[in-house]
Amino acid sequence: MASDHTRSAILAAAERLYADRGFGDVTLRDIVAEANVNLAAVNYHFGSKDELIAELFVSRSIATNRERLRELKAAEEQGGGRAPIEVILRALVGPTLRGCLGPENQRSTAARFMIRASIESVPPIRRIKNREIDHLRKFVGAMRRSLPDRNDVDIYWGLNFALAMAHHTIRESERLTKLSEGKCDLDDVENVVARVVSVATMALTAGRAETRAPARALARDAR
Amino acid sequence: MASDHTRSAILAAAERLYADRGFGDVTLRDIVAEANVNLAAVNYHFGSKDELIAELFVSRSIATNRERLRELKAAEEQGGGRAPIEVILRALVGPTLRGCLGPENQRSTAARFMIRASIESVPPIRRIKNREIDHLRKFVGAMRRSLPDRNDVDIYWGLNFALAMAHHTIRESERLTKLSEGKCDLDDVENVVARVVSVATMALTAGRAETRAPARALARDAR
DNA sequence: GATAGTTTCATACAAGTGTTTGAATTGCAA
DNA sequence: TTGCAATTCAAACACTTGTATGAAACTATC
Protein backbone atom coordinates (compact mmCIF):
# COMPACT_ATOMS: atom_id res chain seq x y z
CA MET A 1 0.00 0.00 0.00
CA ALA A 2 2.99 2.26 0.39
CA SER A 3 3.22 5.68 1.93
CA ASP A 4 0.56 7.57 0.00
CA HIS A 5 2.64 10.60 0.75
CA THR A 6 3.14 11.53 -2.89
CA ARG A 7 -0.51 11.02 -3.69
CA SER A 8 -1.80 13.38 -1.05
CA ALA A 9 0.95 15.90 -1.71
CA ILE A 10 -0.23 16.09 -5.29
CA LEU A 11 -3.86 16.44 -4.26
CA ALA A 12 -3.08 19.22 -1.83
CA ALA A 13 -0.87 21.10 -4.27
CA ALA A 14 -3.40 20.78 -7.06
CA GLU A 15 -6.23 22.02 -4.87
CA ARG A 16 -4.22 24.99 -3.72
CA LEU A 17 -3.18 26.00 -7.23
CA TYR A 18 -6.59 25.51 -8.76
CA ALA A 19 -8.20 27.48 -5.95
CA ASP A 20 -5.77 30.34 -6.46
CA ARG A 21 -5.38 30.51 -10.19
CA GLY A 22 -8.24 28.57 -11.73
CA PHE A 23 -8.05 25.54 -13.99
CA GLY A 24 -7.16 27.49 -17.07
CA ASP A 25 -3.54 28.19 -16.41
CA VAL A 26 -2.33 25.53 -14.02
CA THR A 27 -0.21 22.91 -15.72
CA LEU A 28 0.87 19.52 -14.51
CA ARG A 29 4.37 20.88 -14.20
CA ASP A 30 3.11 23.63 -11.90
CA ILE A 31 1.45 21.04 -9.71
CA VAL A 32 4.40 18.71 -9.39
CA ALA A 33 6.67 21.67 -8.67
CA GLU A 34 4.36 22.83 -5.89
CA ALA A 35 4.15 19.30 -4.53
CA ASN A 36 7.86 18.60 -4.90
CA VAL A 37 7.34 15.38 -6.76
CA ASN A 38 8.34 14.10 -10.15
CA LEU A 39 6.34 14.92 -13.25
CA ALA A 40 5.46 11.31 -13.96
CA ALA A 41 3.98 10.86 -10.51
CA VAL A 42 0.64 12.32 -11.51
CA ASN A 43 0.10 9.82 -14.28
CA TYR A 44 1.41 7.02 -12.13
CA HIS A 45 -0.94 7.73 -9.22
CA PHE A 46 -4.01 9.10 -10.95
CA GLY A 47 -3.79 7.88 -14.53
CA SER A 48 -4.27 11.28 -16.10
CA LYS A 49 -4.71 14.92 -15.33
CA ASP A 50 -8.45 14.72 -15.84
CA GLU A 51 -8.75 11.86 -13.38
CA LEU A 52 -6.82 13.90 -10.82
CA ILE A 53 -9.23 16.79 -11.22
CA ALA A 54 -12.21 14.48 -11.07
CA GLU A 55 -11.04 12.78 -7.91
CA LEU A 56 -10.36 16.14 -6.30
CA PHE A 57 -13.78 17.41 -7.23
CA VAL A 58 -15.66 14.32 -6.13
CA SER A 59 -14.04 14.14 -2.73
CA ARG A 60 -14.49 17.84 -2.08
CA SER A 61 -18.00 17.73 -3.38
CA ILE A 62 -19.22 15.05 -1.01
CA ALA A 63 -17.44 16.71 1.89
CA THR A 64 -19.08 20.07 1.21
CA ASN A 65 -22.48 18.56 0.66
CA ARG A 66 -22.19 16.57 3.84
CA GLU A 67 -21.43 19.69 5.83
CA ARG A 68 -24.32 21.64 4.37
CA LEU A 69 -26.72 18.76 4.93
CA ARG A 70 -25.55 18.28 8.50
CA GLU A 71 -26.34 21.89 9.25
CA LEU A 72 -29.69 21.58 7.51
CA LYS A 73 -30.73 18.38 9.26
CA ALA A 74 -29.78 19.73 12.67
CA ALA A 75 -31.95 22.77 12.07
CA GLU A 76 -34.91 20.74 10.90
CA GLU A 77 -34.72 18.32 13.80
CA GLN A 78 -34.52 21.14 16.27
CA GLY A 79 -37.62 22.67 14.72
CA GLY A 80 -39.53 19.39 14.69
CA GLY A 81 -39.29 18.78 10.95
CA ARG A 82 -39.56 22.38 9.89
CA ALA A 83 -36.74 24.92 10.04
CA PRO A 84 -37.18 28.66 9.59
CA ILE A 85 -36.40 29.66 6.03
CA GLU A 86 -33.57 31.91 7.19
CA VAL A 87 -31.82 28.99 8.82
CA ILE A 88 -32.18 26.85 5.73
CA LEU A 89 -30.74 29.56 3.54
CA ARG A 90 -27.95 30.06 6.01
CA ALA A 91 -27.05 26.39 5.79
CA LEU A 92 -27.06 26.71 2.01
CA VAL A 93 -24.83 29.73 1.53
CA GLY A 94 -23.08 30.12 4.87
CA PRO A 95 -20.32 27.51 4.58
CA THR A 96 -19.27 28.60 1.11
CA LEU A 97 -19.23 32.30 1.96
CA ARG A 98 -17.29 31.66 5.13
CA GLY A 99 -14.80 29.50 3.29
CA CYS A 100 -14.18 31.99 0.51
CA LEU A 101 -14.37 35.40 2.15
CA GLY A 102 -13.04 36.76 5.39
CA PRO A 103 -9.47 37.16 6.61
CA GLU A 104 -7.03 35.62 4.19
CA ASN A 105 -5.50 33.18 6.62
CA GLN A 106 -8.74 31.47 7.51
CA ARG A 107 -10.12 30.90 4.06
CA SER A 108 -10.44 27.29 3.09
CA THR A 109 -8.80 26.09 -0.07
CA ALA A 110 -11.57 23.52 -0.34
CA ALA A 111 -14.30 26.14 -0.58
CA ARG A 112 -12.32 28.24 -3.00
CA PHE A 113 -11.62 25.20 -5.13
CA MET A 114 -15.32 24.38 -5.27
CA ILE A 115 -16.18 27.91 -6.33
CA ARG A 116 -13.63 27.66 -9.14
CA ALA A 117 -15.16 24.36 -10.15
CA SER A 118 -18.62 25.87 -10.20
CA ILE A 119 -17.41 28.71 -12.39
CA GLU A 120 -14.96 27.38 -14.90
CA SER A 121 -16.70 24.14 -15.65
CA VAL A 122 -13.83 22.14 -17.10
CA PRO A 123 -14.78 18.93 -18.95
CA PRO A 124 -13.85 16.30 -16.34
CA ILE A 125 -15.96 18.15 -13.77
CA ARG A 126 -18.88 18.88 -16.05
CA ARG A 127 -19.32 15.16 -16.54
CA ILE A 128 -19.90 14.58 -12.83
CA LYS A 129 -21.70 17.72 -11.85
CA ASN A 130 -25.21 16.38 -12.33
CA ARG A 131 -25.38 14.95 -8.88
CA GLU A 132 -25.26 18.43 -7.42
CA ILE A 133 -28.84 18.79 -8.55
CA ASP A 134 -29.87 15.91 -6.32
CA HIS A 135 -28.18 17.67 -3.47
CA LEU A 136 -30.04 20.91 -4.15
CA ARG A 137 -33.31 19.01 -4.21
CA LYS A 138 -32.88 18.27 -0.55
CA PHE A 139 -32.80 21.99 0.12
CA VAL A 140 -35.85 22.45 -2.05
CA GLY A 141 -37.61 19.89 0.14
CA ALA A 142 -36.68 21.70 3.32
CA MET A 143 -37.77 25.02 1.85
CA ARG A 144 -41.10 23.53 0.85
CA ARG A 145 -41.66 22.28 4.38
CA SER A 146 -40.70 25.65 5.75
CA LEU A 147 -42.99 27.58 3.41
CA PRO A 148 -45.85 25.15 2.77
CA ASP A 149 -48.12 27.62 1.01
CA ARG A 150 -45.49 28.83 -1.38
CA ASN A 151 -45.60 27.36 -4.87
CA ASP A 152 -42.71 25.40 -6.27
CA VAL A 153 -41.71 27.89 -8.90
CA ASP A 154 -41.14 30.58 -6.29
CA ILE A 155 -39.09 28.14 -4.24
CA TYR A 156 -36.84 27.32 -7.17
CA TRP A 157 -36.36 30.98 -7.98
CA GLY A 158 -35.61 31.79 -4.37
CA LEU A 159 -33.00 29.06 -4.21
CA ASN A 160 -31.51 30.22 -7.48
CA PHE A 161 -31.25 33.81 -6.30
CA ALA A 162 -29.73 32.83 -2.97
CA LEU A 163 -26.96 30.90 -4.68
CA ALA A 164 -26.61 33.70 -7.21
CA MET A 165 -25.95 36.34 -4.60
CA ALA A 166 -23.54 34.20 -2.65
CA HIS A 167 -21.48 33.00 -5.59
CA HIS A 168 -21.43 36.31 -7.41
CA THR A 169 -20.36 38.15 -4.29
CA ILE A 170 -17.48 35.75 -3.89
CA ARG A 171 -16.45 35.95 -7.51
CA GLU A 172 -16.69 39.72 -7.78
CA SER A 173 -15.66 40.59 -4.25
CA GLU A 174 -12.72 42.56 -5.49
CA ARG A 175 -14.84 44.62 -7.82
CA LEU A 176 -17.43 45.35 -5.15
CA THR A 177 -14.73 46.52 -2.81
CA LYS A 178 -13.29 48.77 -5.46
CA LEU A 179 -16.65 50.10 -6.59
CA SER A 180 -17.68 50.94 -3.05
CA GLU A 181 -14.24 52.27 -2.22
CA GLY A 182 -14.01 49.89 0.67
CA LYS A 183 -17.35 50.82 2.16
CA CYS A 184 -18.66 47.30 1.60
CA ASP A 185 -16.63 45.28 4.05
CA LEU A 186 -16.28 41.79 2.65
CA ASP A 187 -14.09 40.67 5.51
CA ASP A 188 -17.10 40.88 7.80
CA VAL A 189 -18.38 37.55 6.56
CA GLU A 190 -21.28 37.22 8.94
CA ASN A 191 -22.62 40.53 7.70
CA VAL A 192 -22.41 39.29 4.12
CA VAL A 193 -24.18 36.07 5.03
CA ALA A 194 -26.88 38.04 6.82
CA ARG A 195 -27.43 40.29 3.82
CA VAL A 196 -27.70 37.42 1.37
CA VAL A 197 -30.03 35.47 3.64
CA SER A 198 -32.12 38.55 4.30
CA VAL A 199 -32.67 39.36 0.64
CA ALA A 200 -33.33 35.74 -0.30
CA THR A 201 -35.83 35.49 2.52
CA MET A 202 -37.61 38.57 1.25
CA ALA A 203 -37.71 37.08 -2.22
CA LEU A 204 -39.28 33.94 -0.80
CA THR A 205 -41.78 35.50 1.59
CA ALA A 206 -42.88 38.66 -0.18
CA GLY A 207 -46.61 39.21 -0.67
CA ARG A 208 -47.94 36.28 -2.59
CA ALA A 209 -49.89 38.14 -5.22
CA GLU A 210 -46.87 40.16 -6.18
CA THR A 211 -44.39 37.33 -6.35
CA ARG A 212 -46.54 34.83 -8.11
CA ALA A 213 -46.98 37.14 -11.06
CA PRO A 214 -44.09 39.47 -10.53
CA ALA A 215 -44.75 43.07 -11.42
CA ARG A 216 -45.49 42.54 -15.05
CA ALA A 217 -47.80 45.50 -15.38
CA LEU A 218 -44.99 47.65 -14.10
CA ALA A 219 -42.66 46.05 -16.56
CA ARG A 220 -44.82 47.09 -19.44
CA ASP A 221 -45.21 50.65 -18.22
CA ALA A 222 -41.50 51.01 -17.99
CA ARG A 223 -40.79 50.40 -21.64
CA MET B 1 -7.54 50.78 -46.78
CA ALA B 2 -8.57 47.60 -48.54
CA SER B 3 -11.72 45.58 -48.23
CA ASP B 4 -11.78 44.93 -44.50
CA HIS B 5 -13.74 41.85 -45.36
CA THR B 6 -11.29 39.46 -43.78
CA ARG B 7 -11.01 41.57 -40.66
CA SER B 8 -14.69 41.62 -39.90
CA ALA B 9 -15.12 37.99 -40.87
CA ILE B 10 -12.56 37.10 -38.22
CA LEU B 11 -14.22 39.30 -35.62
CA ALA B 12 -17.62 37.79 -36.29
CA ALA B 13 -16.36 34.24 -36.26
CA ALA B 14 -14.40 34.78 -33.07
CA GLU B 15 -17.35 36.34 -31.31
CA ARG B 16 -19.62 33.51 -32.32
CA LEU B 17 -17.20 30.80 -31.20
CA TYR B 18 -16.30 32.48 -27.93
CA ALA B 19 -19.96 33.08 -27.15
CA ASP B 20 -20.78 29.43 -27.79
CA ARG B 21 -17.81 27.61 -26.35
CA GLY B 22 -15.97 30.03 -24.11
CA PHE B 23 -12.40 31.21 -24.39
CA GLY B 24 -10.90 28.06 -22.98
CA ASP B 25 -11.18 25.79 -25.94
CA VAL B 26 -11.36 27.97 -29.00
CA THR B 27 -8.13 27.98 -30.96
CA LEU B 28 -6.94 30.32 -33.64
CA ARG B 29 -7.37 27.52 -36.10
CA ASP B 30 -11.01 27.13 -35.10
CA ILE B 31 -11.58 30.81 -35.72
CA VAL B 32 -9.97 30.97 -39.13
CA ALA B 33 -11.84 27.85 -40.17
CA GLU B 34 -15.14 29.39 -39.11
CA ALA B 35 -14.23 32.62 -40.90
CA ASN B 36 -12.89 30.87 -44.00
CA VAL B 37 -9.63 32.76 -43.94
CA ASN B 38 -6.01 31.79 -43.70
CA LEU B 39 -4.36 31.10 -40.38
CA ALA B 40 -1.89 33.92 -40.71
CA ALA B 41 -4.65 36.46 -41.28
CA VAL B 42 -5.27 36.90 -37.57
CA ASN B 43 -1.73 37.92 -36.84
CA TYR B 44 -1.62 40.06 -39.93
CA HIS B 45 -4.75 42.03 -39.08
CA PHE B 46 -4.68 42.06 -35.29
CA GLY B 47 -1.10 41.41 -34.32
CA SER B 48 -1.87 38.59 -31.92
CA LYS B 49 -4.66 36.49 -30.53
CA ASP B 50 -4.80 38.55 -27.37
CA GLU B 51 -5.17 41.75 -29.31
CA LEU B 52 -8.02 40.21 -31.26
CA ILE B 53 -9.79 39.30 -28.03
CA ALA B 54 -9.11 42.72 -26.56
CA GLU B 55 -10.46 44.54 -29.60
CA LEU B 56 -13.55 42.36 -29.59
CA PHE B 57 -14.13 43.02 -25.93
CA VAL B 58 -13.57 46.75 -26.10
CA SER B 59 -15.89 47.31 -29.02
CA ARG B 60 -18.62 45.14 -27.53
CA SER B 61 -18.13 46.71 -24.16
CA ILE B 62 -18.69 50.27 -25.27
CA ALA B 63 -21.64 49.21 -27.39
CA THR B 64 -23.32 47.45 -24.46
CA ASN B 65 -22.59 50.27 -22.06
CA ARG B 66 -23.94 52.80 -24.50
CA GLU B 67 -27.19 50.90 -24.80
CA ARG B 68 -27.63 50.56 -21.05
CA LEU B 69 -26.86 54.24 -20.52
CA ARG B 70 -29.22 55.32 -23.26
CA GLU B 71 -32.05 53.43 -21.53
CA LEU B 72 -31.05 54.91 -18.19
CA LYS B 73 -30.81 58.49 -19.39
CA ALA B 74 -34.14 58.30 -21.16
CA ALA B 75 -35.77 57.12 -17.96
CA GLU B 76 -34.18 59.83 -15.84
CA GLU B 77 -35.08 62.59 -18.25
CA GLN B 78 -38.64 61.39 -18.42
CA GLY B 79 -38.81 61.47 -14.63
CA GLY B 80 -37.24 64.90 -14.39
CA GLY B 81 -33.86 63.76 -13.13
CA ARG B 82 -35.11 60.88 -11.03
CA ALA B 83 -36.17 57.52 -12.37
CA PRO B 84 -38.04 54.88 -10.35
CA ILE B 85 -35.62 52.34 -8.98
CA GLU B 86 -37.35 49.53 -10.87
CA VAL B 87 -36.69 51.27 -14.16
CA ILE B 88 -33.05 51.83 -13.32
CA LEU B 89 -32.60 48.19 -12.43
CA ARG B 90 -34.38 47.20 -15.58
CA ALA B 91 -31.97 49.25 -17.65
CA LEU B 92 -29.13 47.54 -15.82
CA VAL B 93 -30.08 43.90 -16.20
CA GLY B 94 -32.67 43.93 -18.97
CA PRO B 95 -30.49 44.12 -22.06
CA THR B 96 -28.14 41.37 -20.91
CA LEU B 97 -30.93 39.01 -19.88
CA ARG B 98 -32.79 39.61 -23.11
CA GLY B 99 -29.65 39.02 -25.14
CA CYS B 100 -28.73 35.77 -23.41
CA LEU B 101 -32.04 34.07 -22.64
CA GLY B 102 -35.19 33.61 -24.66
CA PRO B 103 -35.77 31.78 -27.91
CA GLU B 104 -32.55 30.57 -29.42
CA ASN B 105 -32.87 32.45 -32.68
CA GLN B 106 -33.14 35.87 -31.13
CA ARG B 107 -30.27 35.67 -28.70
CA SER B 108 -27.47 38.07 -29.45
CA THR B 109 -23.96 36.78 -29.81
CA ALA B 110 -22.76 40.09 -28.45
CA ALA B 111 -24.55 39.64 -25.13
CA ARG B 112 -23.46 36.04 -24.83
CA PHE B 113 -19.89 37.00 -25.61
CA MET B 114 -19.95 39.63 -22.89
CA ILE B 115 -21.26 37.14 -20.37
CA ARG B 116 -18.44 34.77 -21.24
CA ALA B 117 -16.01 37.61 -20.83
CA SER B 118 -17.41 38.44 -17.43
CA ILE B 119 -17.10 34.83 -16.35
CA GLU B 120 -13.91 33.41 -17.71
CA SER B 121 -11.77 36.46 -17.23
CA VAL B 122 -8.95 35.71 -19.64
CA PRO B 123 -5.79 37.84 -19.26
CA PRO B 124 -6.21 40.25 -22.20
CA ILE B 125 -9.69 41.13 -20.95
CA ARG B 126 -8.80 41.35 -17.29
CA ARG B 127 -6.37 44.10 -18.14
CA ILE B 128 -9.08 46.32 -19.58
CA LYS B 129 -11.97 45.46 -17.37
CA ASN B 130 -11.41 48.24 -14.86
CA ARG B 131 -13.32 50.76 -16.84
CA GLU B 132 -16.48 48.78 -16.25
CA ILE B 133 -16.41 50.13 -12.73
CA ASP B 134 -16.71 53.68 -14.05
CA HIS B 135 -19.72 52.55 -15.98
CA LEU B 136 -21.35 51.02 -12.92
CA ARG B 137 -20.78 54.23 -11.02
CA LYS B 138 -23.22 55.96 -13.30
CA PHE B 139 -25.86 53.50 -12.21
CA VAL B 140 -24.90 54.06 -8.60
CA GLY B 141 -25.50 57.76 -9.18
CA ALA B 142 -28.93 57.16 -10.65
CA MET B 143 -29.84 54.83 -7.82
CA ARG B 144 -28.75 57.41 -5.27
CA ARG B 145 -30.97 60.01 -6.91
CA SER B 146 -33.83 57.55 -6.97
CA LEU B 147 -33.45 56.57 -3.33
CA PRO B 148 -32.04 59.69 -1.70
CA ASP B 149 -32.45 58.52 1.89
CA ARG B 150 -30.74 55.20 1.35
CA ASN B 151 -27.13 54.97 2.42
CA ASP B 152 -24.39 54.17 -0.04
CA VAL B 153 -23.53 50.77 1.31
CA ASP B 154 -27.06 49.53 0.73
CA ILE B 155 -26.97 50.93 -2.79
CA TYR B 156 -23.76 49.09 -3.59
CA TRP B 157 -25.11 45.85 -2.19
CA GLY B 158 -28.34 46.26 -4.10
CA LEU B 159 -26.47 46.81 -7.33
CA ASN B 160 -24.25 43.83 -6.60
CA PHE B 161 -27.20 41.56 -5.92
CA ALA B 162 -29.06 42.71 -9.02
CA LEU B 163 -26.12 41.84 -11.24
CA ALA B 164 -25.62 38.63 -9.29
CA MET B 165 -29.12 37.38 -9.95
CA ALA B 166 -29.05 38.31 -13.61
CA HIS B 167 -25.67 36.82 -14.41
CA HIS B 168 -26.09 33.70 -12.33
CA THR B 169 -29.46 33.00 -13.86
CA ILE B 170 -27.91 33.23 -17.31
CA ARG B 171 -24.95 31.09 -16.42
CA GLU B 172 -26.94 28.40 -14.64
CA SER B 173 -30.08 28.57 -16.71
CA GLU B 174 -29.72 24.99 -17.74
CA ARG B 175 -29.38 23.80 -14.18
CA LEU B 176 -32.37 25.80 -13.01
CA THR B 177 -34.47 24.33 -15.77
CA LYS B 178 -33.37 20.84 -14.86
CA LEU B 179 -33.79 21.36 -11.13
CA SER B 180 -37.29 22.73 -11.56
CA GLU B 181 -38.14 20.13 -14.18
CA GLY B 182 -39.07 22.85 -16.60
CA LYS B 183 -41.35 24.68 -14.20
CA CYS B 184 -39.13 27.74 -14.29
CA ASP B 185 -39.58 28.98 -17.82
CA LEU B 186 -36.40 30.76 -18.85
CA ASP B 187 -37.69 31.44 -22.31
CA ASP B 188 -40.16 33.90 -20.84
CA VAL B 189 -37.48 36.55 -20.56
CA GLU B 190 -39.72 39.38 -19.43
CA ASN B 191 -40.82 37.27 -16.50
CA VAL B 192 -37.21 36.63 -15.55
CA VAL B 193 -36.40 40.33 -15.81
CA ALA B 194 -39.41 41.14 -13.66
CA ARG B 195 -38.37 38.65 -11.00
CA VAL B 196 -34.82 39.93 -10.81
CA VAL B 197 -35.94 43.55 -10.72
CA SER B 198 -38.58 42.79 -8.13
CA VAL B 199 -36.19 41.09 -5.73
CA ALA B 200 -33.49 43.69 -6.20
CA THR B 201 -36.03 46.41 -5.55
CA MET B 202 -37.06 44.72 -2.35
CA ALA B 203 -33.46 44.49 -1.29
CA LEU B 204 -33.06 48.20 -1.89
CA THR B 205 -36.30 49.43 -0.35
CA ALA B 206 -36.88 47.08 2.56
CA GLY B 207 -37.44 48.62 6.01
CA ARG B 208 -34.38 50.65 6.82
CA ALA B 209 -33.75 49.35 10.32
CA GLU B 210 -33.71 45.80 9.08
CA THR B 211 -31.42 46.33 6.15
CA ARG B 212 -28.95 48.63 7.78
CA ALA B 213 -28.11 46.03 10.39
CA PRO B 214 -29.30 42.91 8.67
CA ALA B 215 -30.76 40.28 10.95
CA ARG B 216 -27.70 39.63 13.00
CA ALA B 217 -29.58 38.75 16.16
CA LEU B 218 -31.40 36.12 14.19
CA ALA B 219 -28.16 34.87 12.81
CA ARG B 220 -26.87 34.23 16.29
CA ASP B 221 -30.01 32.44 17.41
CA ALA B 222 -29.79 30.14 14.48
CA ARG B 223 -26.42 28.68 15.33
C1' DG C 1 21.10 -10.48 1.96
C1' DA C 2 18.83 -11.84 -2.38
C1' DT C 3 14.58 -11.02 -4.84
C1' DA C 4 10.24 -9.28 -6.52
C1' DG C 5 7.10 -5.59 -6.51
C1' DT C 6 6.43 -0.76 -5.97
C1' DT C 7 7.61 3.78 -6.57
C1' DT C 8 10.56 7.52 -8.35
C1' DC C 9 13.20 9.79 -11.80
C1' DA C 10 15.21 11.93 -16.12
C1' DT C 11 14.08 11.96 -20.47
C1' DA C 12 11.68 11.48 -24.70
C1' DC C 13 7.48 11.70 -27.39
C1' DA C 14 3.40 13.13 -29.95
C1' DA C 15 0.12 16.51 -30.43
C1' DG C 16 -1.43 21.08 -30.24
C1' DT C 17 -0.63 26.01 -29.56
C1' DG C 18 0.32 30.97 -31.30
C1' DT C 19 3.48 33.09 -34.30
C1' DT C 20 6.67 33.99 -38.22
C1' DT C 21 8.30 33.74 -42.84
C1' DG C 22 8.82 34.38 -47.60
C1' DA C 23 6.83 33.52 -51.73
C1' DA C 24 2.50 34.00 -54.39
C1' DT C 25 -1.48 36.58 -55.48
C1' DT C 26 -4.33 40.39 -55.71
C1' DG C 27 -5.81 45.21 -56.30
C1' DC C 28 -5.05 49.70 -57.65
C1' DA C 29 -2.70 53.86 -59.43
C1' DA C 30 0.41 55.87 -62.89
C1' DT D 1 0.35 47.42 -69.15
C1' DT D 2 3.60 48.14 -65.61
C1' DG D 3 4.92 48.69 -60.94
C1' DC D 4 4.18 48.71 -56.20
C1' DA D 5 1.95 48.07 -52.08
C1' DA D 6 -1.40 45.39 -49.60
C1' DT D 7 -3.08 41.03 -48.76
C1' DT D 8 -3.30 35.98 -48.84
C1' DC D 9 -1.32 31.58 -48.48
C1' DA D 10 1.26 27.13 -47.30
C1' DA D 11 4.66 25.85 -44.65
C1' DA D 12 7.62 25.87 -40.90
C1' DC D 13 8.99 27.45 -36.27
C1' DA D 14 9.44 27.61 -31.34
C1' DC D 15 7.20 26.45 -27.48
C1' DT D 16 4.09 24.24 -24.19
C1' DT D 17 1.08 20.73 -23.10
C1' DG D 18 -0.13 15.88 -21.23
C1' DT D 19 1.62 11.32 -21.55
C1' DA D 20 4.80 7.26 -22.06
C1' DT D 21 9.17 4.82 -21.33
C1' DG D 22 12.73 2.32 -19.29
C1' DA D 23 16.20 2.50 -16.05
C1' DA D 24 17.22 3.52 -11.22
C1' DA D 25 16.06 3.60 -6.34
C1' DC D 26 13.52 2.00 -2.82
C1' DT D 27 10.75 -1.34 0.28
C1' DA D 28 9.38 -5.32 2.20
C1' DT D 29 9.20 -10.40 2.37
C1' DC D 30 11.46 -14.61 2.57
Side-chain angles (χ1 to χ4, degrees):
Chain A
M1 76 159 50
S3 76
D4 255 2
H5 167 268
T6 304
R7 237 188 104 87
S8 46
I10 291 173
L11 282 171
E15 183 175 54
R16 224 173 313 146
L17 289 176
Y18 287 141
D20 283 348
R21 295 162 31 191
F23 296 94
D25 55 307
V26 170
T27 105
L28 271 189
R29 286 169 175 81
D30 292 334
I31 294 174
V32 300
E34 174 89 359
N36 275 310
V37 302
N38 185 271
L39 173 61
V42 171
N43 288 278
Y44 178 78
H45 285 282
F46 297 92
S48 71
K49 186 192 189 186
D50 280 8
E51 289 175 85
L52 163 63
I53 293 179
E55 174 163 337
L56 203 47
F57 178 72
V58 169
S59 76
R60 283 321 183 190
S61 191
I62 67 178
T64 303
N65 289 353
R66 184 159 37 212
E67 167 169 0
R68 292 210 286 205
L69 277 186
R70 193 184 47 70
E71 208 168 305
L72 174 65
K73 284 227 165 136
E76 282 207 308
E77 277 167 15
Q78 190 185 332
R82 280 190 205 179
I85 186 65
E86 288 93 343
V87 181
I88 298 174
L89 291 171
R90 190 173 295 273
L92 181 68
V93 302
T96 305
L97 282 169
R98 271 185 281 267
C100 293
L101 296 179
E104 190 123 13
N105 51 29
Q106 58 186 262
R107 293 185 202 164
S108 100
T109 63
R112 281 161 48 237
F113 170 83
M114 288 303 285
I115 280 291
R116 287 283 189 192
S118 89
I119 291 172
E120 292 199 24
S121 180
V122 69
I125 289 181
R126 208 175 317 153
R127 280 193 286 271
I128 317 170
K129 220 173 168 186
N130 292 331
R131 78 185 69 168
E132 198 184 353
I133 289 189
D134 297 329
H135 177 248
L136 289 182
R137 276 193 217 288
K138 294 179 183 145
F139 276 87
V140 171
M143 291 165 75
R144 260 201 282 253
R145 287 189 288 278
S146 176
L147 305 169
D149 46 356
R150 206 78 203 174
N151 68 36
D152 275 6
V153 175
D154 287 346
I155 299 271
Y156 292 127
W157 277 107
L159 177 72
N160 176 64
F161 286 158
L163 290 175
M165 291 185 280
H167 286 194
H168 184 92
T169 300
I170 290 169
R171 263 200 312 130
E172 303 286 346
S173 62
E174 199 182 334
R175 190 177 71 174
L176 180 55
T177 302
K178 208 177 294 179
L179 175 67
S180 71
E181 288 161 332
K183 286 185 209 134
C184 293
D185 180 12
L186 294 181
D187 284 349
D188 183 357
V189 191
E190 292 311 320
N191 179 43
V192 176
V193 173
R195 278 187 185 270
V196 170
V197 169
S198 155
V199 175
T201 300
M202 279 191 282
L204 280 159
T205 58
R208 298 278 299 286
E210 201 182 320
T211 353
R212 287 217 177 194
R216 305 197 65 162
L218 190 147
R220 272 189 215 97
D221 293 344
R223 295 223 188 109
Chain B
M1 74 160 52
S3 76
D4 254 3
H5 168 269
T6 303
R7 238 187 103 87
S8 47
I10 292 173
L11 282 171
E15 181 174 55
R16 225 174 313 149
L17 289 177
Y18 286 141
D20 283 349
R21 294 161 35 189
F23 296 93
D25 55 308
V26 170
T27 103
L28 231 36
R29 284 168 176 81
D30 292 334
I31 295 174
V32 300
E34 175 88 358
N36 276 309
V37 302
N38 185 271
L39 173 59
V42 171
N43 288 277
Y44 178 78
H45 285 281
F46 298 92
S48 71
K49 187 193 190 187
D50 281 6
E51 289 175 86
L52 163 63
I53 294 179
E55 173 162 340
L56 204 46
F57 178 72
V58 169
S59 76
R60 281 322 183 189
S61 191
I62 67 177
T64 305
N65 290 352
R66 184 161 34 212
E67 166 167 2
R68 291 210 286 207
L69 277 187
R70 194 185 46 73
E71 209 168 304
L72 175 64
K73 285 227 165 136
E76 282 207 309
E77 278 167 16
Q78 190 184 335
R82 281 190 203 179
I85 187 64
E86 288 93 343
V87 181
I88 298 174
L89 291 170
R90 189 172 297 274
L92 181 69
V93 303
T96 305
L97 282 169
R98 272 185 279 267
C100 293
L101 296 178
E104 191 121 14
N105 51 29
Q106 58 186 261
R107 293 186 202 161
S108 98
T109 63
R112 282 160 49 235
F113 170 83
M114 288 302 286
I115 279 291
R116 287 283 188 193
S118 89
I119 291 173
E120 291 196 25
S121 181
V122 69
I125 288 183
R126 207 175 319 153
R127 280 193 285 272
I128 316 172
K129 222 173 167 187
N130 291 332
R131 76 185 71 167
E132 200 183 352
I133 289 189
D134 297 329
H135 178 248
L136 288 182
R137 276 193 218 288
K138 296 184 181 141
F139 276 87
V140 172
M143 291 165 75
R144 260 201 282 256
R145 287 189 287 279
S146 177
L147 305 169
D149 46 355
R150 206 78 204 173
N151 68 34
D152 274 7
V153 176
D154 287 347
I155 300 271
Y156 292 127
W157 277 107
L159 178 72
N160 177 64
F161 286 158
L163 290 174
M165 291 186 280
H167 286 193
H168 184 92
T169 300
I170 291 169
R171 264 201 310 130
E172 303 286 345
S173 62
E174 201 182 333
R175 189 177 73 174
L176 180 56
T177 301
K178 209 178 292 178
L179 174 67
S180 72
E181 287 161 331
K183 286 184 208 134
C184 293
D185 180 12
L186 294 180
D187 285 348
D188 183 357
V189 190
E190 291 311 321
N191 179 42
V192 176
V193 173
R195 278 186 185 272
V196 170
V197 169
S198 155
V199 175
T201 300
M202 281 192 282
L204 280 160
T205 58
R208 299 278 298 286
E210 200 180 318
T211 353
R212 287 218 178 193
R216 304 195 67 161
L218 189 147
R220 272 189 216 99
D221 293 344
R223 297 234 182 98

